[in-house]
Amino acid sequence: GHNNCKVETRMASKTTGSVVDVLDRVIGLPKEEDDSNNNGNRSQSFIPSAKWGGAKPGYVFRTSEEFGTGYHLENNGSHPRNSYVTTTTTTTAASSSSSSAVAAGRENKRARFDVSRDTTHVIPPRASKNNNKKPTATTMTGDELLAEAEAAISEQTHASKLIELTPRGIASGAQSLERTMHRNQLLRAQHEDDPEKFMMNELTLNDEIVSFQAVAVNVWLYGELVEVGVVGSFLTLLNHENSDVAISILNVLVELLDPDLLSSGGDDEKSSSEMNPSERVRNMGLLANAFVDGGGMELVSSNLGRFDERVEEDAKGVEDALSLVESLLDLDRTGVLRNARENNHQDGSLSVVSCICKQTTFLSWLFRRIEKEVDSEVPTATAAAPVSPAVLRLHASEVLSAILQHEDYSAQRCGDRLASLPKYKSAFDDDLDEKPAAKADDGSEKKENTIDGIEVLLMAIAAFRKSDPQIEVECEFLENVFDALAASLLREDNVVDFVNAEGIELMLRCLRQKVHAGGGALKVLNFALSGSARDSSGSNDAYIKACETFVNAGGIKLLFPLYMARKSAIPSPAACSEGGSSLAKKGKHNGGTVSKRAKRAAHARKKWLMEVEQNSINIMYALTRHIAKDSEYDAHARLLVKFVEDDCEKCDRTIELCQKYDEKARIAEYQYFRSDEAEETEKMGMDIELGALNAKLRGGGGTFHRSCAILSFACVGSKRCRGHAMDQLKLQGSGLSVIKLGLTEFASLLSDGRQKSQIEYYITEI
């Protein structure tokens, strides 16, 4: 029994020893041998071996210049203990003082054994924490974290999300968008101070939004977008804290609501072949109405307040917002929104312009953007910038002109006077509290929370009162400002503010300088003095006051040379405009034939001269219409004497204009009766005579009627003018009956009121 115990003890100790040896080999420790054996094994400083033959305690397998390849005694070389272990992490032994010194001697490089090649590779260490230190998530702002994540995503091969262009695919995409949106809201609420937690989710949210851009090729799917709630999600996301999300929404809506899709229907074969134009209009109207009725215009207006045009992405967002409003205005003007409501038996809602004027301060933002000087802006307005401030200013003027030309604004169904617009407000403004009205020097309240739109437009024009625009963008901007100002003067309240702001004097100054702005000034004066045809039964006091101010400011002296078509008095178009180019003046030829550019320039020049002539005639008629014998500044006598002086040459010019435009009107009427349009009108059972009258008026009939009224004013007011006119008409084989016929036709087109009564008086007295 005693012997058995010894055997078991030896076996246990042997087993325990073998386990320890195995562990030692795994972690790289030498066997615990007696000193004699250990010294004996280490007496040999190098054991040659061409290949790795397994671990040997106390030795390192490497290649040296002294011995070659083999096992080197550990203390004999410069390698630290256990450096033969094939690992990429720093060993515990390397942390000792002796190993640190050795490692420093080897330039802090680590050795890694490559079993496949039986060689040792030197791997450079990782960068020190103190070197090239990058900011951590706790020291970076939210914008920096988001920019870093976007840069990392852009470096990877990122596949955009694709949406299936079927009703089922739209529904699936809507559900995915809703889930991502709710997830983003939850993450933002939970990690409000840690943007790193939700920035990847917002990149996913952006992909979800952009995926709906593909639906633009299938207008027949627009109804699904409304039905499954995609439009509602878009409206919610326009209020998102991250402006980039709102910018993506605006970009997608611009693609979806492009009016050009009504003619093309998209690129999808089903859309092009199976959908008729009425279905396209209906689907486009459904989407547009859902956006407008859901408060989309107010959200678009509010987002403009947080976009910084100095940032490239935000400048693109401003451009998309203006493009979206412009598209909605086009759809509303062509009746797309109204037809969609009628087809779906919906009650009549507000027009886009009514929503803008009643629910938003978008008009004030447009005036503020127009007022901003391009030269004083930061240097983002370079050629490298995709959207320059000058282009944004031009686009803002285009949208403003479209809004003010809408019938809802000109008929005073919506909107305030331009001189007292409320100051622009945004839901994203930090301070929405209005400032109390301050007291002016005269004791009256000074309006701090309003914008004078009339003054903004006049200041924009005043910059070009002495010089022409130098580039095409400036030229187009000036034309848009003139169009906006002229359209606003269809409202009598704006005419009062225009006269009080000395707008007539500024227009006359532009005419005196004969610059490009003179052409637009004539148009503005035409609207300021003529008024709206719808107000023929009104008092027209504002327009009477404007005509008297025009005469008192010396307008007659500038008007009659233009009326007489004196070339020296006609304002010249700018060189940057098509009508003012050298091609229009000289008629450049290429190989004996006129180039297309020269033809376009000549046509533009002819159109410019035609507009100057027609505006001059309209202004002259407005003076004869509104100025009475009891007018201020003796305006009636001063106007009438101009027709008598110089042997009644103004009467000769008026007779010439009557004959010229009478002939044009008759030719236009004749061409209409011979056109296919007349045949189609007759087949549809519509009144062909009404179509012919419309063609006649557009061809010159309206100008003919006004020229007859001008001649009647001179003939009724002066016997000398009447006798001279009768003699001239008799020489040409005609008589006053032609003038009476034109006046009779003119009176038949007018509604009852002062204007019609005046024309009937001319018919009786002439």
Side-chain angles (χ1 to χ4, degrees):
H2 182 69
N3 293 332
N4 291 337
C5 289
K6 289 182 178 180
V7 174
E8 291 176 359
T9 301
R10 286 195 301 272
M11 292 179 64
S13 63
K14 184 177 181 181
T15 304
T16 303
S18 62
V19 172
V20 173
D21 291 342
V22 172
L23 292 175
D24 289 345
R25 287 197 300 272
V26 171
I27 65 175
L29 294 177
K31 293 182 180 181
E32 295 183 359
E33 300 177 356
D34 51 65
D35 295 339
S36 61
N37 294 335
N38 193 21
N39 294 333
N41 292 335
R42 296 195 179 196
S43 61
Q44 189 174 0
S45 61
F46 172 71
I47 302 175
S49 176
K51 293 184 179 181
W52 171 258
K56 295 183 181 296
Y59 287 88
V60 178
F61 183 82
R62 65 185 180 90
T63 301
S64 66
E65 296 180 358
E66 182 180 0
F67 298 105
T69 302
Y71 291 89
H72 295 69
L73 190 63
E74 183 178 6
N75 295 332
N76 191 39
S78 60
H79 289 276
R81 185 181 180 186
N82 298 332
S83 62
Y84 57 85
V85 179
T86 59
T87 176
T88 61
T89 60
T90 307
T91 60
T92 56
S95 62
S96 61
S97 59
S98 60
S99 299
S100 300
V102 175
R106 299 199 60 210
E107 298 180 356
N108 198 22
K109 296 181 179 180
R110 292 172 293 153
R112 181 174 180 179
F113 180 73
D114 188 343
V115 179
S116 62
R117 299 191 180 184
D118 297 327
T119 57
T120 302
H121 293 280
V122 178
I123 301 177
R126 292 181 179 178
S128 174
K129 293 182 179 180
N130 296 327
N131 297 331
N132 300 325
K133 185 176 181 181
K134 293 183 179 180
T136 61
T138 58
T139 61
M140 296 174 66
T141 64
D143 293 338
E144 291 173 343
L145 286 170
L146 185 59
E148 183 181 23
E150 291 175 344
I153 291 296
S154 63
E155 291 177 359
Q156 302 174 5
T157 55
H158 180 66
S160 301
K161 179 179 177 180
L162 299 178
I163 190 171
E164 184 181 353
L165 299 181
T166 61
R168 183 176 180 181
I170 297 296
S172 176
Q175 293 176 0
S176 178
L177 175 63
E178 193 74 14
R179 286 194 302 268
T180 307
M181 185 173 65
H182 288 319
R183 176 64 176 168
N184 180 256
Q185 293 173 351
L186 180 62
L187 290 174
R188 274 188 168 269
Q190 291 177 344
H191 309 285
E192 183 177 359
D193 298 329
D194 191 2
E196 191 177 21
K197 299 292 184 181
F198 54 78
M199 60 184 178
M200 295 304 297
N201 174 267
E202 290 190 359
L203 292 174
T204 304
L205 178 62
N206 181 75
D207 289 342
E208 297 279 356
I209 295 169
V210 175
S211 65
F212 286 95
Q213 197 171 19
V215 186
V217 302
N218 294 279
V219 180
W220 61 279
L221 289 172
Y222 281 13
E224 299 293 332
L225 292 176
V226 179
E227 185 175 349
V228 300
V230 174
V231 177
S233 298
F234 281 1
L235 292 171
T236 301
L237 289 171
L238 282 175
N239 266 324
H240 198 276
E241 293 87 344
N242 187 353
S243 61
D244 289 342
V245 174
I247 291 173
S248 297
I249 294 291
L250 293 173
N251 184 260
V252 172
L253 289 173
V254 168
E255 296 294 331
L256 294 176
L257 294 174
D258 187 359
D260 293 339
L261 296 176
L262 293 176
S263 56
S264 63
D267 299 331
D268 187 70
E269 294 181 359
K270 180 177 181 180
S271 174
S272 302
S273 60
E274 298 183 7
M275 290 191 68
N276 55 46
S278 61
E279 289 178 345
R280 295 176 188 169
V281 171
R282 176 181 173 275
N283 287 334
M284 181 72 77
L286 281 175
L287 182 61
N289 282 327
F291 179 77
V292 174
D293 296 342
M297 302 309 302
E298 186 175 3
L299 292 171
V300 171
S301 176
S302 292
N303 272 281
L304 289 170
R306 62 170 171 172
F307 292 156
D308 186 359
E309 295 179 10
R310 295 170 295 181
V311 181
E312 179 179 332
E313 292 78 8
D314 285 9
K316 185 64 170 62
V318 174
E319 177 71 9
D320 286 339
L322 293 174
S323 298
L324 177 59
V325 175
E326 194 173 23
S327 297
L328 290 171
L329 289 171
D330 290 341
L331 294 174
D332 190 21
R333 185 177 60 253
T334 55
V336 173
L337 278 71
R338 182 178 61 255
N339 293 336
R341 293 190 183 101
E342 293 175 355
N343 293 334
N344 289 276
H345 307 288
Q346 296 177 352
D347 296 334
S349 300
L350 296 175
S351 65
V352 175
V353 172
S354 297
C355 290
I356 291 174
C357 294
K358 294 182 178 180
Q359 300 174 1
T360 73
T361 54
F362 181 64
L363 272 180
S364 300
W365 183 91
L366 291 174
F367 280 112
R368 190 178 73 175
R369 186 61 192 82
I370 290 173
E371 188 179 18
K372 188 182 296 184
E373 291 290 340
V374 175
D375 294 339
S376 63
E377 298 191 11
V378 293
T380 45
T382 59
V387 184
S388 67
V391 173
L392 292 178
R393 192 184 188 205
L394 171 63
H395 203 168
S397 66
E398 291 175 355
V399 175
L400 177 63
S401 176
I403 292 174
L404 297 182
Q405 291 181 49
H406 196 276
E407 60 179 355
D408 282 355
Y409 182 80
S410 60
Q412 300 189 21
R413 301 191 189 111
C414 63
D416 300 321
R417 299 162 51 191
L418 294 186
S420 59
L421 291 173
K423 196 173 183 180
Y424 173 73
K425 295 179 182 178
S426 172
F428 301 98
D429 290 341
D430 296 332
D431 185 11
L432 294 177
D433 297 333
E434 293 186 357
K435 298 179 181 178
K439 292 289 185 179
D441 296 336
D442 57 357
S444 60
E445 288 189 354
K446 187 178 180 180
K447 297 181 180 179
E448 296 286 347
N449 298 307
T450 59
I451 291 179
D452 191 343
I454 295 291
E455 182 180 357
V456 171
L457 295 178
L458 292 179
M459 291 298 293
I461 294 172
F464 301 97
R465 69 186 184 277
K466 293 183 179 180
S467 59
D468 289 334
Q470 300 301 315
I471 57 177
E472 187 176 355
V473 172
E474 289 183 350
C475 190
E476 292 181 8
F477 168 75
L478 182 60
E479 293 295 332
N480 291 333
V481 171
F482 276 123
D483 290 342
L485 181 57
S488 69
L489 296 177
L490 291 173
R491 292 178 48 147
E492 192 169 348
D493 52 357
N494 287 331
V495 175
V496 175
D497 296 326
F498 174 76
V499 174
N500 293 335
E502 300 183 354
I504 291 178
E505 288 80 358
L506 176 61
M507 299 302 112
L508 293 178
R509 184 175 297 182
C510 294
L511 285 174
R512 288 191 185 97
Q513 298 296 330
K514 303 180 183 63
V515 292
H516 182 87
L522 270 178
K523 181 193 301 183
V524 171
L525 289 172
N526 175 21
F527 280 80
L529 305 182
S530 300
S532 173
R534 292 188 295 268
D535 298 333
S536 58
S537 60
S539 62
N540 293 325
D541 291 339
Y543 300 105
I544 293 175
K545 178 65 175 177
C547 289
E548 294 172 351
T549 303
F550 177 85
V551 174
N552 186 51
I556 292 180
K557 184 178 181 180
L558 294 173
L559 176 63
F560 270 98
L562 294 171
Y563 185 75
M564 298 295 294
R566 303 274 169 77
K567 292 184 178 181
S568 59
I570 297 176
S572 301
C576 60
S577 65
E578 199 168 30
S581 64
S582 58
L583 294 178
K585 299 176 182 178
K586 300 179 180 179
K588 194 172 183 179
H589 290 70
N590 291 327
T593 59
V594 180
S595 64
K596 292 182 179 180
R597 288 186 59 191
K599 289 182 179 179
R600 289 197 304 267
H603 178 74
R605 177 72 176 181
K606 183 178 179 181
K607 182 181 178 182
W608 173 274
L609 297 175
M610 182 75 67
E611 289 179 352
V612 169
E613 181 177 272
Q614 291 182 351
N615 285 325
S616 301
I617 295 172
N618 291 336
I619 293 173
M620 188 68 70
Y621 169 68
L623 294 175
T624 61
R625 172 188 170 188
H626 293 300
I627 291 179
K629 293 182 180 180
D630 57 348
S631 296
E632 294 183 1
Y633 313 117
D634 200 17
H636 185 273
R638 293 168 65 180
L639 178 62
L640 185 59
V641 74
K642 285 290 184 180
F643 286 93
V644 180
E645 66 182 16
D646 295 332
D647 197 19
C648 301
E649 65 173 358
K650 279 79 175 180
C651 294
D652 294 341
R653 171 63 175 168
T654 307
I655 293 173
E656 178 187 347
L657 292 173
C658 287
Q659 294 175 337
K660 174 182 177 181
Y661 284 98
D662 182 31
E663 182 181 1
K664 283 188 172 184
R666 294 180 184 278
I667 292 175
E669 183 182 27
Y670 174 76
Q671 291 177 345
Y672 173 80
F673 281 118
R674 292 179 57 88
S675 65
D676 296 336
E677 182 181 356
E679 294 181 4
E680 294 177 0
T681 302
E682 191 174 13
K683 290 179 181 179
M684 296 173 61
M686 300 175 64
D687 189 359
I688 190 174
E689 296 293 336
L690 186 61
L693 178 61
N694 184 35
K696 183 178 181 180
L697 293 176
R698 286 188 285 107
T703 307
F704 166 65
H705 294 157
R706 286 164 174 77
S707 300
C708 292
I710 295 171
L711 184 61
S712 300
F713 169 83
C715 292
V716 171
S718 171
K719 292 182 179 180
R720 182 179 177 183
C721 290
R722 183 177 183 275
H724 183 83
M726 291 180 64
D727 293 340
Q728 291 297 321
L729 290 170
K730 187 176 181 180
L731 289 174
Q732 299 177 14
S734 182
L736 290 177
S737 58
V738 176
I739 307 302
K740 292 179 97 174
L741 184 62
L743 292 175
T744 303
E745 187 178 45
F746 190 16
S748 66
L749 300 175
L750 298 174
S751 58
D752 294 337
R754 294 180 58 181
Q755 185 180 11
K756 185 174 182 178
S757 299
Q758 185 186 48
I759 299 300
E760 291 175 345
Y761 171 75
Y762 288 157
I763 296 173
T764 304
E765 295 295 326
I766 197 173

